[in-house]
Amino acid sequence: MENIHWYPGHMAKAKKAILNDLKLVDIVIEILDARIPYSSKNPEIDIWSKKPKIVILNKVDMADEKSTAIWRKYFENKNPVILTNARGESSFKNITDIAESIMKEKLEKLKSRGRIFKPIRAMIVGIPNVGKSTFINSYVNKYIAKVANKPGVTRNNQWIKINKSFELLDTPGMLAPKLTTETGGLNLALTGAIGYTLDNYSLSIKLLEILKKRYPKLLIERYKLKNIENTSINILNEIANNRGFFIKGGDLDINRTSNMILEELRSTKIGKITLELPNDINQDL
Ligand code: G4P
């Protein structure tokens, strides 16, 4: 995983690259992390581009299905939404179908004016670690594998020719992580998308707060807790004790316990967890 530091110079360069690429495409494909759709979104893209957009909720294999359904509905108010697990099986076929239906009117207009047919061009955008490269690779590999014997599916220059009417820009647009709200930064740190100024102990306490509220059953089951009507600090101590995490002298090894909990969140050992819902974001806006 890459940890990028967003210095102003870096951000300006990334913005310039995106603005340039946006001029070349008809459609924007915005990838969000299904576990933190709001925190993994950089709203600037909607200011920079008014072009039709498809929203991808990626990493659905790590998010809880009910929450993903809620988020899907939320985003579908404005844009078509596709759910993906870029690392596994995903229905990429939908993307070309949706792109074609979004562009239908425009293409028909062009055709009626006798213009030459041009393939629809799209680009992927998203913040670091949301799965942009994985998505592009799986998309291309899956498609090319399927139609390997047919000519025309080639990577040429910067365009990946998915089929005769759809091309994808092979470099994704990099958006800066949005760190305007405390919760947003915290969620990005919890999923491991960015480093964070909070130490792992404080992060794990914040995580326990979220789990107590949203996933009490998973928390109790995973760590064999008696009850969770307790402070998060006490719960952390109980987990350390249950796991037998001690340092020399017999004190609880809280550091190791905090690291373990964060690792178990990120590897979905605790379960499929979505850290925020549309209702939560109203508090932040
Ligand atoms: P980026 O281009 O947007 O920066 O993200 P990238 O594709 O590098 O993905 C970041 C991490 O997220 C990678 O894991 C990648 O495998 C993982 N990932 C991407 N999409 C999905 C998904 O839908 N589900 C799951 N479970 N994981 C996904 P990594 O640990 O950094 O690397 P590696 O394990 O692939 O080597």
Side-chain angles (χ1 to χ4, degrees):
M1 193 174 71
E2 200 183 355
N3 250 328
I4 295 171
H5 298 284
W6 291 87
Y7 299 112
H10 191 152
M11 283 166 83
K13 220 173 135 195
K15 177 178 172 184
K16 206 171 152 208
I18 288 205
L19 291 180
N20 264 330
D21 288 343
L22 280 170
K23 287 187 215 143
L24 308 174
V25 299
D26 307 295
I27 286 182
V28 174
I29 299 175
E30 179 185 38
I31 305 199
L32 305 175
D33 184 329
R35 297 168 298 170
I36 47 166
Y38 178 70
S39 302
S40 62
K41 181 177 169 64
N42 182 327
E44 276 177 317
I45 188 64
D46 298 330
I47 299 165
W48 298 342
S49 161
K50 302 290 176 207
K51 297 195 173 174
K53 196 170 76 173
I54 298 174
V55 171
I56 306 267
L57 291 178
N58 189 39
K59 306 199 184 186
V60 286
D61 54 310
M62 306 176 89
D64 102 57
E65 277 164 30
K66 270 193 195 152
S67 303
T68 300
I70 293 171
W71 277 113
R72 173 183 211 151
K73 226 170 159 194
Y74 177 84
F75 286 109
E76 257 172 4
N77 271 335
K78 281 196 184 159
N79 302 105
V81 177
I82 298 175
L83 310 182
T84 58
N85 164 7
R87 219 144 71 161
E89 275 300 302
S90 276
S91 173
F92 294 112
K93 189 179 172 293
N94 269 346
I95 299 170
T96 35
D97 291 347
I98 291 176
E100 273 172 30
S101 77
I102 292 178
M103 293 296 294
K104 201 168 172 227
E105 227 173 89
K106 199 173 165 198
L107 290 176
E108 271 168 9
K109 231 186 220 166
L110 287 175
K111 212 169 140 192
S112 70
R113 286 194 209 137
R115 294 278 190 88
I116 314 158
F117 174 80
K118 273 206 210 137
I120 300 167
R121 288 186 155 176
M123 75 180 285
I124 306 273
V125 300
I127 66 164
N129 291 313
V130 78
K132 297 180 296 300
S133 323
T134 314
F135 181 90
I136 292 178
N137 283 336
S138 313
Y139 189 16
V140 170
N141 289 340
K142 188 167 174 178
Y143 208 85
I144 286 181
K146 242 183 170 170
V147 290
N149 297 327
K150 291 190 191 166
V153 183
T154 48
R155 278 185 101 122
N156 101 18
N157 299 328
Q158 53 184 347
W159 297 101
I160 306 165
K161 203 166 171 168
I162 300 294
N163 63 30
K164 71 174 182 3
S165 55
F166 189 71
E167 295 183 356
L168 187 66
L169 192 63
D170 71 0
T171 21
M174 181 82 87
L175 297 170
K178 175 196 59 171
L179 297 169
T180 43
T181 65
E182 198 194 329
T183 316
L186 178 74
N187 285 339
L188 288 164
L190 283 172
T191 56
I194 56 158
Y196 195 58
T197 42
L198 267 191
D199 55 284
N200 277 358
Y201 168 73
S202 314
L203 265 183
S204 66
I205 293 290
K206 299 266 188 195
L207 172 61
L208 288 174
E209 295 294 330
I210 297 173
L211 294 178
K212 271 200 293 186
K213 195 170 127 203
R214 297 186 27 82
Y215 299 97
K217 250 182 99 184
L218 292 181
L219 179 61
I220 289 170
E221 276 167 17
R222 178 75 197 163
Y223 298 113
K224 319 250 178 310
L225 301 171
K226 287 201 188 72
N227 77 75
I228 50 168
E229 305 295 314
N230 216 331
T231 63
S232 294
I233 296 176
N234 284 340
I235 292 178
L236 195 64
N237 288 339
E238 192 181 341
I239 295 172
N241 192 49
N242 290 355
R243 285 283 171 108
F245 287 179
F246 296 101
I247 43 178
K248 267 188 201 154
D251 284 342
L252 294 168
D253 192 344
I254 293 304
N255 217 3
R256 185 174 167 205
T257 314
S258 303
N259 295 343
M260 182 271 294
I261 293 179
L262 294 176
E263 190 281 318
E264 293 205 348
L265 169 79
R266 292 168 189 158
S267 58
T268 64
K269 283 191 190 118
I270 302 176
K272 293 186 172 205
I273 283 164
T274 302
L275 292 168
E276 61 188 6
L277 282 175
N279 282 346
D280 302 326
I281 65 182
N282 295 332
Q283 296 162 9
D284 264 335
L285 289 171

